[in-house]
Every structure is written in structure tokens, then in C-alpha cells.
């Protein structure tokens, strides 16, 4: 029995070690910070973004026909115009302003500092999570639809939609647990084959329509059955087209993969003009290719497929182009198309999982809003896979039912990007650009609001993610608030001289809140501290002043400057949190001089809870108590710990 318990504990320990093991391999792929990547031609990287962007053709035409009926081509045309004259200009500018793959969220983070910027980022991360999770579940569900509707598949699998989808999601999670590296070569092959097959279907579909004019006549009859006034039909299409917003996905991915885009030989890290130029080619080419396929596939599927087949249970539901491939080009070609679609949809899920695995490391640790285990891949894979299971079950692996949630995530991200470039144009005093981007922002706000009203499940899922992210982030921030939080300490020449002089005897530092900074201020502060702590009058002292920079930041580089006012010597620095910076500096002084420094504080008057909130939100509070706690956590040996003295 004892051996069994020991064996179980050992197995559990090994499992935890495996889960928390750092992934030290080279991490190449999108959604990463700037790292030394092997760079590729822009058209190859376009294929990497295309596994997400172009794969929506697997289900977009069917969802468009189901949402808009005979108006689908017109609504799709409006979507294409918004793509080319709205989303594309926005992301071409983002490419210029975030050439290292930071994307629109990082732009907003820079443009909106302090806590409002952090909270906005947390909310946007909720929509990013919605976008990527639904990409995984929607792609898996659509892949399932292509599997079970293939005529070569046994009929009994038709009732196993949820089970097959969960297996596909589980397979995706298992691959990432083992270790997955996105390969551009695979993406180029998958996208090339997929677009070629779609072009064949489109060409044959257009040929069928040209040789059978009655298809156009029947479409016109169905179109004008709603209303004979073309302007009213356009108005209806304007109201309907937000449901088709799935076709806008891929732009954010296009800028996050910028580190993989090969630039020119004269590029510099600060001004990679060649990379920016080639990324703009990538974005423009992807938008043009997708616009062509959106229009043509919407047209041929609306005219050649009976409306009843698009509905739930119909043979074209979630697989309109595959339905045409089997019906018009035979089961052999249709099966090849199914295999190509399943492959690119699975790879789109892999791309989304890679994006999710980069969300936490890119933002939350810098905010102090993620536990240490969130830096590792495997626990996050298990969490995201479990969430994908739940979403699949909730939506019953239904492609059309998840379309609203997916569109919500995509639209909110593009709307936030439009707001970011509008704000950037305003900061740069570009009046014309500000006006144009403001109008585009309003268009995307309208599109987003209409989509949310029509299909509120997206905002509910996003709200759940936002609430979860904010709650866990705040808990983590409080939990980690007493860490040192200093990336490194840099001391200027005069400050180093002060420390060298102090190291000849006892090192005493008086913590002071800077007011006027004149001789009288330091005289009175020294007199008070010496009396309260019985410091001998001949013992030299240093003043230590930490000013708040941006309290919403978590870790920072502390630059210490030496300042002399009369006969008083001051070490002055800026940091996000005063107690943590003082503790880090005391440990730095100990390590540099080999002596234990002593810091002197006065008691804070007021409610302890109020001071706790001030510390968490504004980086101040009961400084002496928090400094002592930070030191206690950082240095376990009391004999090596800098001294903290409180008088008054």
C-alpha cells in the first residue's frame, strides 16, 4: 500500500514536471514577439496567413446563402468593398507602425497608457480568445461536415458529429502537447492546392451558369420576390452583410507574421522599410484573392444550389463548395476537394492554437497578471483544449451556429484596429487621414453592433472570456505584487560614487517622498529620522527617492541617478512601484558593496486597506511594510536581508 502511494506521488510529480517543462526549442511562427526567425518571401508568408483567411471558404458561402438567401452576392459585394476600402487600408498602416509583428492591440497599448490601456487590452484579449477558440471549434466542425457528407464515408458516422469534432480538437491538442512547429512549406502546399481546387470549382460553376441562362433568371425572380426596388434590396443587403463578416478574418494574422517576411538588404531594426513594403504586398494580395473568391463562390453557390440544401441537415450546410464539387465534378474530384478542405481547416485550427499560446506570454506576464506556470505551453494547451471541448458541445458542433461568435471576435478586433489608426492619425495631426479612418471606424462599429444584435451568442462568449481574464489577471496581480519586479538596475556615475563612499562604513538610506527638493526639506527629514531611530549624528546617510512612472506596469528597468543638493546626497529613480523598487535597490547595494544596507521609513497614517489598494493601483501605500515583505520573499536568509527600520 505504501509503495503504491509513493509510486502515485512519483508519477504525479513526473507529470507536473513534464507539464511545466519550459519549451526551449526555437519558436518559429506567427503571434510571437520579434525573434531571430528564418525569413521568407512575402507570398510564402501570405500562405501561412491564408490557412486562416482562405480556409473560411470552406463554410463562408454556405453561411452567406443561409443568412442572405438570394441577396447573398449583393451582401458579399458590400463585404468585399469594406474589405478593400476599409480593412485593407487600416492594416496597411498598422504594418507601418508595428513592423515587428505587435499588431493593433500593441498599438492601442502604446497609445493608451496607464490602467485604461491595460484594461482595454484585457478586454480585447477576451475577443481574441473568442476569435481563436471559435476558429478551432468552427474549423473542426466544418472539417467534420466534409468528412461525414463524403459519399465514401459509412452512413452510421452521420450521427457522430460532436464526437468526430471533439476527436479532431483532441488531436490538435495532442500535437501541441508533443510539440508543434508551424511550417511555411506545408502552408504553401495546402493553400496552393486549395486555391487551385476552388478556382476549378468556380470556373466550372461560372461555365454552368453561362451555358444555362435560366439559373440567372431564377435568381432574379427570387431576388425581386422580396422587393422590386433595387435601392431597397441594397438597403436590406446593408443590414444583412454583417452576418457575412467571417470573410474578414486574417488581417490581424497578416501583421503578426511580419517578423517572417523578408525585407530588403538596407533594412534596419528601427526602420525595416523593405519588410513593411513586402507585408503590404502580402495584405493587398491576400485581400484581392479572397475578394475574388468571396464574390465568385457566393454567386455560383446561390445560383446553382437549391436553397433548402443550405439549411441545417441539408447536404450543402457548411460545405457549399464541396457539395458543388461532388454534384458537378464527380465524387473522385469531390473527395480530393474534401481532403484538401479538411487539411486546411485543421491547419487553421493549429494556427489559432499557436496564436492562443502566444497571448498569455506576450501580454499578461508583463502586467504581472499571469501565474508563472502560464509561461509554459503544455498547461495552456490543456486549458484551451478543454474550453474548445465545452464550446463544441454547447454549439453541438454546428458550423452556422458558431458563425456569430466568430464574426463578433473578428469584427471587434478590426474595429479596435480602426480606432488605433484613427488615434494614431490624430496624434500625428493628419487631419485627412483622421477623417477617413474615423469614417471607416464608424462603419466597422455599425457592422459589429448589427452582428451582436442579430447574434448575441458571440458577445456572451467574449464576455465570459473577458470576465475570466480580468478576474484571474487581477488575482494574479495581487498575488505577485510583492515580487521584486525589477528587470535590472542601472546606476549612473555619481550614484556609483555615493555608494562607493558609503561602503566604507554602515550604509544608511533614508526613504523620502520628493516635494520641493531644497536643502530645508532634506535638513528636516534627516533631523526627524535621526531622532526617531537614534542614528549617531556623525554617521553619513543617503537619501533614497523613488517616483512613480506608470503604476499599471509591472516590471521595469530602474535607472538610478545621483543628485546632490547642498551637502545632501540623493539616489533618485523612477519605477512602477515604490516598495518593490526600494527592495530591489537595497539588494543591489548589498550585492555590489558586500555590506547589508539599512533603510529608514516613517509610519504611514491611515486605513491599511486603503493603503493596500493604493499600492496595487498606484504603486505606493504603506511603503515600509510592503518593502519588508518584498525583501522577505526575495531573500529567505534573515542574516543576509537588508534592514528595514520604521520610526515615529
Amino acid at each position: 500500500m505504501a509503495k503504491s502511494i509513493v509510486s502515485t506521488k512519483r508519477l504525479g510529480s513526473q507529470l507536473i514536471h513534464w507539464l511545466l517543462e519550459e519549451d526551449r526549442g526555437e519558436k518559429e511562427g506567427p503571434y510571437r514577439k520579434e525573434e531571430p526567425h528564418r525569413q521568407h518571401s512575402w507570398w510564402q508568408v501570405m500562405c501561412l496567413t491564408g490557412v486562416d483567411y482562405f480556409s473560411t471558404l470552406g463554410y463562408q458561402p454556405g453561411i452567406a446563402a443561409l443568412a442572405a438567401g438570394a441577396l447573398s452576392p449583393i451582401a458579399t459585394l458590400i463585404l468585399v468593398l469594406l474589405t478593400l476600402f476599409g480593412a485593407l487600408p487600416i492594416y496597411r498602416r498598422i504594418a507601418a507602425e508595428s513592423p515587428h509583428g505587435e499588431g493593433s492591440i500593441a498599438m492601442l497599448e502604446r497609445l493608451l497608457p496607464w490602467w485604461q490601456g491595460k484594461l482595454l487590452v484585457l478586454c480585447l484579449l477576451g475577443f481574441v480568445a473568442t476569435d481563436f477558440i471559435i476558429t478551432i471549434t468552427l474549423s473542426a466542425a466544418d472539417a467534420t461536415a466534409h468528412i461525414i457528407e463524403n459519399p465514401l464515408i459509412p452512413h452510421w458516422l452521420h450521427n457522430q458529429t460532436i464526437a468526430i469534432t471533439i476527436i479532431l480538437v483532441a488531436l490538435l491538442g495532442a500535437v501541441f502537447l508533443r510539440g508543434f512547429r508551424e511550417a511555411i512549406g506545408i502552408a504553401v502546399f495546402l493553400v496552393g492546392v486549395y486555391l487551385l481546387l476552388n478556382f476549378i470549382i468556380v470556373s466550372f460553376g461560372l461555365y454552368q451558369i453561362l451555358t444555362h441562362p435560366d439559373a440567372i433568371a431564377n435568381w432574379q425572380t427570387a431576388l425581386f420576390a422580396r422587393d422590386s426596388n433595387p435601392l431597397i434590396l441594397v438597403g436590406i443587403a446593408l443590414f444583412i452583410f454583417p452576418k457575412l463578416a467571417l470573410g474578414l478574418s486574417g488581417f490581424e494574422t497578416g501583421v503578426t507574421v511580419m517578423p517572417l517576411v523578408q525585407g530588403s538588404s538596407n533594412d534596419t531594426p528601427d526602420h525595416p522599410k523593405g519588410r513593411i513594403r513586402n507585408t503590404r504586398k502580402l495584405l493587398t494580395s491576400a485581400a484581392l484573392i479572397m475578394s475574388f473568391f468571396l464574390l465568385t463562390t457566393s454567386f455560383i453557390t446561390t445560383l446553382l444550389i437549391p436553397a433548402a440544401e443550405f439549411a441545417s441537415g441539408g447536404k450543402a450546410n457548411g460545405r457549399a463548395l464541396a457539395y458543388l464539387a461532388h454534384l458537378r465534378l464527380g465524387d473522385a474530384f469531390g473527395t480530393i476537394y474534401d481532403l484538401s478542405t479538411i487539411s486546411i481547416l485543421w491547419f487553421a485550427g493549429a494556427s489559432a492554437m499557436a496564436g492562443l499560446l502566444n497571448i498569455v506570454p506576450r501580454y499578461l506576464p508583463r502586467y504581472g497578471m499571469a501565474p508563472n506556470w502560464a509561461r509554459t505551453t503544455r498547461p495552456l494547451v490543456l486549458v484551451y483544449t478543454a474550453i474548445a471541448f465545452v464550446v463544441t458541445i454547447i454549439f453541438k458542433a454546428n458550423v452556422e451556429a458558431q458563425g456569430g461568435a466568430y464574426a463578433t471576435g473578428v469584427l471587434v478586433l478590426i474595429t479596435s484596429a480602426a480606432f488605433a489608426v484613427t488615434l494614431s492619425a490624430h496624434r500625428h495631426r493628419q487631419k485627412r487621414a483622421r477623417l477617413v479612418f474615423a469614417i471607416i471606424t464608424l462603419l466597422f462599429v455599425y457592422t459589429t453592433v448589427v452582428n451582436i444584435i442579430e447574434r448575441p451568442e458571440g458577445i456572451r462568449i467574449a464576455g465570459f472570456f473577458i470576465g475570466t481574464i480580468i478576474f484571474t489577471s487581477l488575482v494574479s496581480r495581487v498575488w505577485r505584487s510583492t515580487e521584486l519586479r525589477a528587470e535590472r538596475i542601472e546606476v549612473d556615475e555619481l550614484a556609483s560614487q555615493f555608494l562607493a563612499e558609503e561602503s566604507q562604513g554602515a550604509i544608511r538610506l533614508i526613504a523620502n517622498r520628493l516635494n520641493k527638493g531644497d536643502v530645508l526639506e532634506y535638513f528636516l527629514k534627516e533631523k526627524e529620522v535621526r531622532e526617531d531611530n537614534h542614528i549617531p549624528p556623525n554617521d553619513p546617510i543617503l537619501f533614497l527617492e523613488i517616483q512613480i512612472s506608470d503604476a499599471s506596469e509591472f516590471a521595469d528597468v530602474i535607472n538610478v541617478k545621483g543628485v546632490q543638493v547642498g551637502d545632501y546626497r540623493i539616489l533618485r529613480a523612477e519605477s512602477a512601484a515604490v516598495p518593490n523598487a526600494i527592495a530591489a535597490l537595497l539588494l543591489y547595494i548589498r550585492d555590489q558593496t558586500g555590506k547589508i544596507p539599512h533603510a529608514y521609513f516613517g509610519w504611514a497614517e491611515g486605513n491599511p486597506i486603503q493603503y493596500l489598494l493604493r499600492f496595487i493601483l498606484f504603486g505606493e501605500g504603506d511603503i515600509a511594510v510592503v518593502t519588508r515583505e518584498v525583501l522577505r520573499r526575495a531573500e529567505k536568509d534573515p542574516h543576509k536581508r537588508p534592514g528595514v527600520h520604521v520610526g515615529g
Side-chain angles (χ1 to χ4, degrees):
M1 180 67 178
K3 287 184 179 180
S4 176
I5 294 174
V6 171
S7 177
T8 302
K9 288 183 177 179
R10 184 178 301 162
L11 183 62
S13 177
Q14 291 175 349
L15 177 61
I16 292 173
H17 176 76
W18 179 76
L19 284 174
L20 299 181
E21 184 181 14
E22 286 288 345
D23 182 8
R24 295 185 177 89
E26 182 184 359
K27 294 172 178 160
E28 178 172 312
Y31 317 107
R32 290 282 183 187
K33 287 184 177 180
E34 181 78 357
E35 295 177 358
H37 297 296
R38 188 165 74 89
Q39 296 181 332
H40 307 265
S41 299
W42 64 265
W43 61 269
Q44 292 177 305
V45 183
M46 182 191 72
C47 292
L48 186 61
T49 69
V51 297
D52 177 16
Y53 196 18
F54 300 145
S55 68
T56 58
L57 291 172
Y59 44 82
Q60 166 78 8
I63 290 178
L66 193 59
L71 281 172
S72 176
I74 298 174
T76 302
L77 175 61
I78 296 172
L79 180 69
V80 165
L81 293 175
L82 189 61
T83 298
L84 297 178
F85 299 102
L88 181 58
I90 287 169
Y91 281 94
R92 284 174 61 89
R93 175 150 183 156
I94 289 175
E97 298 202 19
S98 62
H100 304 293
E102 302 95 331
S104 61
I105 295 179
M107 274 186 65
L108 284 172
E109 182 186 26
R110 292 193 301 268
L111 293 168
L112 298 172
W114 209 62
W115 282 109
Q116 66 264 33
K118 302 294 186 298
L119 289 174
L120 179 60
V121 168
L122 291 179
C123 291
L124 290 177
L125 290 182
F127 288 102
V128 170
T130 303
D131 184 1
F132 287 154
I133 286 289
I134 298 298
T135 297
I136 293 172
T137 58
L138 181 61
S139 298
D142 197 51
T144 300
H146 284 80
I147 291 172
I148 63 176
E149 291 297 336
N150 187 283
L152 303 179
I153 296 298
H155 183 75
W156 60 269
L157 283 176
H158 287 212
N159 297 322
Q160 305 299 323
T161 305
I162 296 176
I164 296 173
T165 304
I166 287 178
I167 290 172
L168 291 175
V169 173
L171 178 62
L172 183 67
V175 169
F176 274 88
L177 285 174
R178 185 172 178 82
F180 180 79
R181 299 292 179 270
E182 292 193 84
I184 284 185
I186 297 174
V188 171
F189 174 77
L190 289 178
V191 169
V193 171
Y194 186 66
L195 291 182
L196 175 62
L197 295 175
N198 276 287
F199 183 77
I200 292 172
I201 295 172
V202 166
S203 300
F204 191 80
L206 292 175
Y207 173 77
Q208 289 283 306
I209 292 171
L210 289 175
T211 55
H212 297 81
D214 57 313
I216 297 178
N218 293 335
W219 173 59
Q220 289 177 333
T221 301
L223 185 64
F224 290 111
R226 287 197 175 196
D227 199 288
S228 58
N229 190 329
L231 292 178
I232 293 178
L233 291 176
V234 172
I236 296 172
L238 283 169
F239 184 75
I240 292 175
F241 93 92
K243 295 181 180 181
L244 282 58
L246 292 81
L248 286 167
S249 67
F251 280 101
E252 191 73 23
T253 308
V255 293
T256 56
V257 297
M258 284 189 71
L260 299 177
V261 178
Q262 189 173 35
S264 55
S265 58
N266 58 353
D267 278 2
T268 63
D270 294 330
H271 301 286
K273 294 182 180 179
R275 178 193 290 176
I276 293 171
R277 182 173 59 252
N278 287 336
T279 301
R280 285 176 165 175
K281 291 180 184 177
L282 181 159
L283 293 169
T284 303
S285 300
L288 289 172
I289 292 170
M290 191 62 176
S291 296
F292 167 78
F293 278 109
L294 283 174
L295 281 173
T296 53
T297 57
S298 172
F299 186 67
I300 65 171
T301 53
T302 302
L303 269 66
L304 297 178
I305 298 177
E309 297 294 351
F310 292 111
S312 181
K315 294 181 179 180
N317 183 254
R319 53 184 299 276
L321 293 175
Y323 174 83
L324 280 182
H326 282 276
L327 182 66
R328 304 283 180 170
L329 295 168
D331 288 338
F333 180 88
T335 299
I336 294 172
Y337 184 77
D338 281 336
L339 291 173
S340 174
T341 306
I342 292 166
S343 300
I344 198 170
L345 286 168
W346 187 91
F347 209 84
S351 179
M353 180 66 83
L356 283 169
L357 293 174
N358 281 267
I359 289 175
V360 172
R362 173 168 284 188
Y363 292 100
L364 298 187
R366 288 194 293 112
Y367 300 169
M369 293 180 173
N372 289 328
W373 62 261
R375 299 176 183 272
T376 53
T377 297
R378 287 165 182 156
L380 290 178
V381 170
L382 292 178
V383 171
Y384 295 141
T385 303
I387 293 172
F389 285 168
V390 173
V391 171
T392 297
I393 294 170
I394 289 174
F395 285 103
K396 299 179 180 178
N398 185 293
V399 174
E400 199 277 331
Q402 297 177 72
Y406 185 39
T408 298
V410 170
L411 286 171
V412 170
L413 286 180
I414 296 181
T415 303
S416 68
F419 176 69
V421 296
T422 304
L423 193 59
S424 174
H426 176 72
R427 294 281 177 89
H428 289 88
R429 301 182 183 278
Q430 298 169 332
K431 293 183 179 179
R432 184 176 178 182
R434 179 181 63 189
L435 177 62
V436 171
F437 287 125
I439 293 172
I440 294 174
T441 303
L442 290 176
L443 287 174
F444 277 111
V445 168
Y446 160 77
T447 308
T448 305
V449 170
V450 170
N451 182 76
I452 290 173
I453 292 173
E454 285 289 312
R455 295 183 288 186
E457 64 273 9
I459 198 67
R460 291 184 191 132
I461 293 176
F464 168 77
F465 283 123
I466 291 169
T468 302
I469 288 173
I470 290 178
F471 175 76
T472 56
S473 296
L474 293 178
V475 169
S476 177
R477 179 77 181 227
V478 173
W479 186 261
R480 298 184 60 195
S481 61
T482 53
E483 294 180 7
L484 281 178
R485 295 167 55 174
E487 293 180 4
R488 65 181 184 276
I489 295 176
E490 298 177 352
V491 180
D492 72 0
E493 186 176 350
L494 185 55
S496 297
Q497 180 184 326
F498 291 163
L499 292 175
E501 293 170 355
E502 285 296 303
S503 64
Q504 303 304 314
I507 302 177
R508 304 182 190 276
L509 299 101
I510 296 176
N512 179 57
R513 182 192 294 270
L514 179 63
N515 291 310
K516 293 183 178 180
D518 55 11
V519 173
L520 180 60
E521 177 182 339
Y522 296 111
F523 170 78
L524 295 175
K525 184 68 175 181
E526 179 186 13
K527 182 175 182 296
E528 175 190 346
V529 172
R530 285 189 185 274
E531 290 176 355
D532 290 343
N533 296 277
H534 308 290
I535 300 175
N538 295 327
D539 282 11
I541 55 97
L542 283 174
F543 284 92
L544 178 58
E545 297 174 343
I546 307 293
Q547 295 175 290
I548 294 295
S549 52
D550 183 352
S552 67
E553 294 293 335
F554 187 74
D556 51 12
V557 176
I558 301 176
N559 294 294
V560 182
K561 297 180 180 179
V563 179
Q564 184 140 5
V565 179
D567 294 331
Y568 299 101
R569 299 167 302 165
I570 303 111
L571 300 178
R572 191 172 290 169
E574 289 187 354
S575 179
V578 174
N580 309 70
I582 292 175
L585 186 56
L586 290 174
L587 291 171
Y588 172 84
I589 293 172
R590 180 201 66 180
D591 296 338
Q592 294 296 311
T593 64
K595 291 191 173 183
I596 303 295
H598 296 265
Y600 297 87
F601 302 85
W603 283 112
E605 296 290 339
N607 190 314
I609 303 299
Q610 181 182 355
Y611 279 117
L612 176 63
L613 293 175
R614 283 187 60 187
F615 166 62
I616 293 171
L617 295 176
F618 306 111
E620 295 183 292
D622 197 346
I623 294 173
V625 174
V626 180
T627 301
R628 171 67 172 72
E629 178 60 21
V630 175
L631 287 169
R632 188 188 67 81
R633 288 190 62 182
E635 177 53 73
K636 302 301 181 184
D637 188 349
H639 301 292
K640 297 180 180 180
R641 195 179 297 153
V644 174
H645 307 269
V646 186

